[in-house]
Amino acid sequence: MAFTVGQRVRTTVNAPTAWDGAFGAPVGTLGTIDSGPDKFGSYGVLLDGDPNQMPASYHGNELTSA
């Protein structure tokens, strides 16, 4: 499935914290497409609740429309 910048999405995979203090996102976390897809099919997603609002990288098959 293809997504567009600004589109609301829901994650379909668990994203544990990558380092101490990083934001972890359980399956079903909502977010907004910020960029992409890149040449590898990844999208930048601003996840709801992430206090840093750093885009997280997700492949298209790890997201669904919200």
Side-chain angles (χ1 to χ4, degrees):
M1 174 177 267
F3 301 98
T4 58
V5 172
Q7 184 175 350
R8 296 288 290 161
V9 293
R10 183 180 307 275
T11 63
T12 62
V13 294
N14 219 8
T17 58
W19 60 87
D20 285 344
F23 184 73
V27 171
T29 299
L30 294 171
T32 303
I33 299 291
D34 179 64
S35 62
D38 65 13
K39 66 181 180 179
F40 303 107
S42 294
Y43 292 87
V45 181
L46 297 173
L47 297 170
D48 292 3
D50 181 353
N52 298 316
Q53 284 296 281
M54 291 178 52
S57 180
Y58 285 90
H59 287 279
N61 64 352
E62 298 174 323
L63 300 167
T64 189
S65 295

